[in-house]
């Protein structure tokens, strides 16, 4: 039994910290409950120790290199995938060379054939790659130097302190592409590269690499993605998949390093009318092991053609199309889990307030790994000047990001503003709660993904889960809500987002009982801030339009969850009540858009973060239960 007096003293200390504004206190060790008598405990100590409970699905690089080359792509930012380039150090052709060189070298490290890896240089200076590179240094993995892909593929390098630095001897030859005339040769080559242990070389640069002694091991110039499936299916790892458009190079290092199949849906970039691989995609999804992650995205395709199919197959969609260096950002991630969310202690909520209506703002699209790695942490979103005052609730892919880039996940935890909330988005990648696994084994898929999500949330002290569904009120959605609640008795509430419209739930609250007998609210989005240009929809539109909607409501349901569409921008129109002009000349996003809305709410409204909204809902509708819970947990 834990010492009760010690708990009381710590509670008093915690109370002092809370009232003096110290929101960052974290107990050094989580409580490991031995029996129900020990459940009366400090609220902030309600989390689990970091350990592998079977929640990890991301392919892990388990062997550390001693050094790594920083491979420089000498190209303007944003042009790495361009065609029409003639210089050997530019364009998609060069990008594919670098990606294949990195993937094969990092695989050789894993296989014990090399002690030096390859990192693809980040020209934009993003924080995500800065902290991930620093993490390599902290692990004792040193940067050897910066070289171009041309140099690394052709040059001779002597050893340094006993570490062999030369890379070209690791490769068996080259796979030939013709990305200008056959876009799918890019996809085929990405698979053939790991099958034949060969770098990717385009017809543009063929002679240059043959002069350096490389021989062609496979000709992909006239091959299709279907050909790659027919030839290489049995040589690929079926525990993950990469789906990316033709004429892109991102994620190829990761695919090659892990021997993954790569598929495109459109046979031509962003052009569905030129033919698609939809039937092949369905076949590949069925070939995957259950609950396998599917990384990437496809441009110019409706989500019904790929996200829907991934979800129905019982696999895990991981939006991550423009991220890179995934093997090294995620290296040894199971041993590098760190960081916890700052949470609101419900003991310090004033539940005696009268006459108030409560509104909470939730930023959309938090499942998007590539966004987390490419600008989410900037002042437009996570560190927006208004984020703390607006008590923004940020959706984060805590599960996938903590595996794919644990250093960046820790950085986001550390950078969380004190009044904001972090929400796990979604329940294991981007899957729809109401159709997950419906063409496979739905109950087994739900059980696995809900338990895995619970482990990630409990170990990082995240208390609120966001789920997305085609119909948030459906029987299938309610079945999913129950599965996630059953798996996690530390879960305090669920946000339910409908696709689409996000506000399709109209603010309804659905109740689900957890294993301890407490009713957990599933709070549907009531309104959404969204720029539709020349019109507003019934529950989606400009900040002024939604403010007018909120102000006209009765007090029958005094709780409003408002989704802030991450990609919608608005302009400040001052005191004007025009419901469309905010859509013109727009530059305000995220928390700024929330403030435009909040500024036009009447004095009866109070802005709260989503954790406080959920606790107020629980006290309002389930006062006896909630009071009992608060007495059990300090």
């Amino acid at each position: 039994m834990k010492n009760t007096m010690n708990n009381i003293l710590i509670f008093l200390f915690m109370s002092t910290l809370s009232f003096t504004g110290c929101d960052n206190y974290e107990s050094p060790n989580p409580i490991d409950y031995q029996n129900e008598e020990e459940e009366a405990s400090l609220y902030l100590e309600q989390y689990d120790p970091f350990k592998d409970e079977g929640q990890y699905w991301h392919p892990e690089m388990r062997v550390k290199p001693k050094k790594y080359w920083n491979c420089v792509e000498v190209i303007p930012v944003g042009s790495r995938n361009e065609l029409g380039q003639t210089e050997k150090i530019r364009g998609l052709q060069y990008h594919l060379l670098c990606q294949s060189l990195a993937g094969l070298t990092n695989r050789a490290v894993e296989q014990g054939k090399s002690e030096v890896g390859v990192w693809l240089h980040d020209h934009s200076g993003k924080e995500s790659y800065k902290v991930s590179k620093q993490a390599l240094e902290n692990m004792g993995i040193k940067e050897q130097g910066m070289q171009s892909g041309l140099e690394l593929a052709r040059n001779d390098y002597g050893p340094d302190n006993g570490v062999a630095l030369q890379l070209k001897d690791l490769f068996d030859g080259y796979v030939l592409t013709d990305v200008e005339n056959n876009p799918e040769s890019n996809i085929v080559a990405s698979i053939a590269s790991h099958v034949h242990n060969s770098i990717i070389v385009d017809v543009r640069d063929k002679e240059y690499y043959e002069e350096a002694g490389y021989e062609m091991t496979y000709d992909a110039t006239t091959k299709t993605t279907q050909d790659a499936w027919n030839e290489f299916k049995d040589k690929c790892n079926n525990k993950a998949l990469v789906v990316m458009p033709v004429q892109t190079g991102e994620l190829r290092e990761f695919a090659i390093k892990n021997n993954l199949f790569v598929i495109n849906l459109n046979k031509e970039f962003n052009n569905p009318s030129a033919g698609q691989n939809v039937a092949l995609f369905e076949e590949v999804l069925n070939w995957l092991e259950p609950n396998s992650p599917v990384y990437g995205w496809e441009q110019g395709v409706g989500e019904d053609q790929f996200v829907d199919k991934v979800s129905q197959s019982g696999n895990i969609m991981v939006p991550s199309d423009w991220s890179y260096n995934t093997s090294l950002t995620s290296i040894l991630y199971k041993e590098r889990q760190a960081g916890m969310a700052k949470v609101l202690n419900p003991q310090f909520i004033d539940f005696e307030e009268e006459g108030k209506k409560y509104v909470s703002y939730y930023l959309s699209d938090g499942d998007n790994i590539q966004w987390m790695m490419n600008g989410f942490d900037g002042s437009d979103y996570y560190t927006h000047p208004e984020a703390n005052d607006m008590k923004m609730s940020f959706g984060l892919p805590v599960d996938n990001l903590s595996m794919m880039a644990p250093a960046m996940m820790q950085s986001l935890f550390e950078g969380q503003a004190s009044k904001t909330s972090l929400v796990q988005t979604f329940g294991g990648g981007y899957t729809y709660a109401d159709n997950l696994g419906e063409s496979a084994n739905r109950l087994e898929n739900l059980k696995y993904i809900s338990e895995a999500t619970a482990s990630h949330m409990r170990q990082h002290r995240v208390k609120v889960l966001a789920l997305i569904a085609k119909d948030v009120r459906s029987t299938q959605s309610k079945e999913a809500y129950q599965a996630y609640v059953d798996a996690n008795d530390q879960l305090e509430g669920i946000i339910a987002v409908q696709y689409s419209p996000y506000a399709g739930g109209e603010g309804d609250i659905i109740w689900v009982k957890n294993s301890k007998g407490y009713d957990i609210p599933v709070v549907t989005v009531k309104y959404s801030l969204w720029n539709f240009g020349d019109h507003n929809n019934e529950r989606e539109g400009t900040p002024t339009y939604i403010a007018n909607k909120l102000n006209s409501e009765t007090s029958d349901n005094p709780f409003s969850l408002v989704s802030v569409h991450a990609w919608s921008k608005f302009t400040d129109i001052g005191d004007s009540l025009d419901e469309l002009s905010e859509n013109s000349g727009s530059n305000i996003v995220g928390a700024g858009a929330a403030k435009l809305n909040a500024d036009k709410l009447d004095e009866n409204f109070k802005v709260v973060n989503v954790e406080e909204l959920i606790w107020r809902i629980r006290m309002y509708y389930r006062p006896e239960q909630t009071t009992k819970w608060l007495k059990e947990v300090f």
Side-chain angles (χ1 to χ4, degrees), residues 546-567:
I546 298 303
N548 291 341
K549 290 274 191 181
L550 287 166
N551 287 332
S552 65
E553 286 189 344
T554 67
S555 296
D556 292 344
N557 177 6
F559 306 103
S560 300
L561 177 62
V562 176
S563 173
V564 181
H565 182 230
W567 317 124

Side-chain angles (χ1 to χ4, degrees), residues 191 194 225 228-229 236-237 240-242 259-263 284 287:
I191 304 159
H194 66 72
T225 305
W229 178 245
C236 292
N237 173 5
L241 174 69
V242 166
N259 306 324
L260 304 181
F261 194 75
V262 181
I263 190 169
V284 175
W287 163 81

Side-chain angles (χ1 to χ4, degrees), residues 187-214:
I187 304 295
V188 180
S190 300
I191 304 159
S193 174
H194 66 72
V195 172
H196 290 280
N197 191 45
S198 298
I199 58 174
I200 299 175
V201 171
D202 194 76
V203 291
R204 184 193 74 177
D205 306 319
K206 176 176 178 289
E207 293 181 3
Y208 180 76
Y209 289 95
E210 289 183 342
E211 290 173 0
Y214 284 92

Side-chain angles (χ1 to χ4, degrees), residues 197-474:
N197 191 45
S198 298
I199 58 174
I200 299 175
V201 171
D202 194 76
V203 291
R204 184 193 74 177
D205 306 319
K206 176 176 178 289
E207 293 181 3
Y208 180 76
Y209 289 95
E210 289 183 342
E211 290 173 0
Y214 284 92
E215 296 181 357
M216 184 173 68
T217 59
Y218 185 83
D219 187 350
T221 56
T222 62
K223 300 285 187 174
T224 66
T225 305
Q226 182 69 58
D227 292 331
W229 178 245
N230 296 339
E231 292 183 48
F232 301 131
K233 168 185 175 180
D234 295 337
K235 295 180 175 63
C236 292
N237 173 5
N238 72 336
K239 294 182 178 180
L241 174 69
V242 166
V243 53
M244 283 291 288
V246 298
Q247 298 182 351
T248 64
E250 285 76 10
L251 289 182
R252 303 309 197 269
E253 175 275 328
F254 175 67
I256 291 167
K257 188 268 173 191
N258 292 291
N259 306 324
L260 304 181
F261 194 75
V262 181
I263 190 169
N264 55 297
L265 293 180
N266 290 333
K267 296 184 177 183
E268 292 184 6
F269 184 79
N270 204 26
N271 184 13
S273 64
Q276 295 185 304
N277 291 312
V278 175
L280 176 59
F281 185 50
E282 292 176 351
E283 184 178 352
V284 175
L285 289 174
N286 291 331
W287 163 81
L288 290 173
E289 284 195 4
N291 306 302
S292 291
V294 178
Y295 299 87
W297 201 257
E298 175 79 39
Q299 308 300 313
V301 175
E303 291 186 15
D304 60 322
Q305 288 192 292
F306 70 109
V307 178
D308 218 18
K309 294 182 183 301
V310 174
S311 185
Q312 290 169 341
S313 71
N315 293 298
I316 302 166
M317 186 70 220
V318 185
S320 54
D321 42 345
W322 306 129
S323 57
Y324 47 100
N325 286 318
T326 306
S327 295
L328 290 181
T329 62
S330 65
I331 188 170
L332 293 170
Y333 70 80
K334 293 178 185 177
E335 301 171 14
R336 296 169 53 208
Q337 294 301 300
M340 288 180 292
K342 299 178 180 71
V343 291
L344 173 69
N345 189 335
Q347 286 285 348
F348 304 121
I349 296 174
D350 178 8
F351 290 108
E352 302 302 320
E353 285 183 325
E354 295 183 358
K356 288 292 184 183
K357 294 191 281 187
Y358 301 94
V359 61
S360 185
Y361 298 99
Y362 166 70
L363 187 66
S364 76
D365 289 71
D367 59 305
N368 195 326
I369 295 292
Q370 77 89 12
W371 185 27
M372 301 295 122
M373 299 298 286
N374 291 284
F376 169 79
D377 58 320
S379 59
D380 282 346
Y381 295 104
Y382 197 58
T383 56
H384 191 288
E386 301 291 348
N388 210 36
D389 286 344
M390 286 297 100
K391 300 179 180 178
M392 289 294 293
S393 297
F394 291 103
L396 291 181
V398 175
D399 46 11
N400 282 308
L401 189 61
S402 69
M403 293 184 280
M404 296 174 69
M408 186 55 184
M409 186 71 259
Q410 183 178 0
S411 177
L412 292 176
F413 281 130
E414 292 171 351
Q416 180 190 352
S418 61
K419 298 177 184 178
T420 63
S421 288
L422 302 185
V423 177
Q424 163 64 42
T425 306
F426 289 113
Y430 184 9
T431 53
Y432 301 117
D434 47 352
N435 74 10
L436 174 67
E438 68 178 14
S439 63
N441 191 324
R442 175 165 168 82
L443 292 181
E444 285 189 9
N445 291 135
L446 265 178
K447 178 176 173 57
Y448 171 79
I449 206 66
S450 61
E451 290 179 353
T453 299
S455 292
H456 287 290
M457 292 181 66
R458 290 166 69 105
Q459 291 179 25
H460 290 286
R461 200 173 57 189
V462 177
K463 302 294 187 179
V464 180
L465 169 67
L467 294 175
I468 190 166
K470 295 299 188 70
D471 179 357
V472 294
R473 299 185 184 97
S474 70

Side-chain angles (χ1 to χ4, degrees), residues 33 39 46 48 454 458 463 484-492 514-518 520 618 629:
Y33 299 124
E39 291 182 8
Q46 295 234 328
D48 292 354
R458 290 166 69 105
K463 302 294 187 179
Y484 284 98
V485 169
D486 286 346
N488 186 3
D489 58 18
Q490 292 181 20
L491 181 62
E492 295 173 358
N514 74 5
S515 62
K516 295 183 177 180
Y518 292 104
I520 304 302
R618 291 177 67 167
W629 189 93

Side-chain angles (χ1 to χ4, degrees), residues 468-470 472-473 496-508 523-530 532 537-541 545-546 561-564:
I468 190 166
K470 295 299 188 70
V472 294
R473 299 185 184 97
V497 182
Q498 188 157 298
Y499 186 87
S500 169
Y502 284 3
E506 301 180 329
D508 283 357
V523 186
T524 67
V525 173
K526 185 184 285 188
Y527 296 109
S528 181
L529 302 184
W530 200 305
F532 292 100
N537 289 340
E538 181 181 359
R539 290 182 171 270
E540 301 177 305
Y545 173 72
I546 298 303
L561 177 62
V562 176
S563 173
V564 181

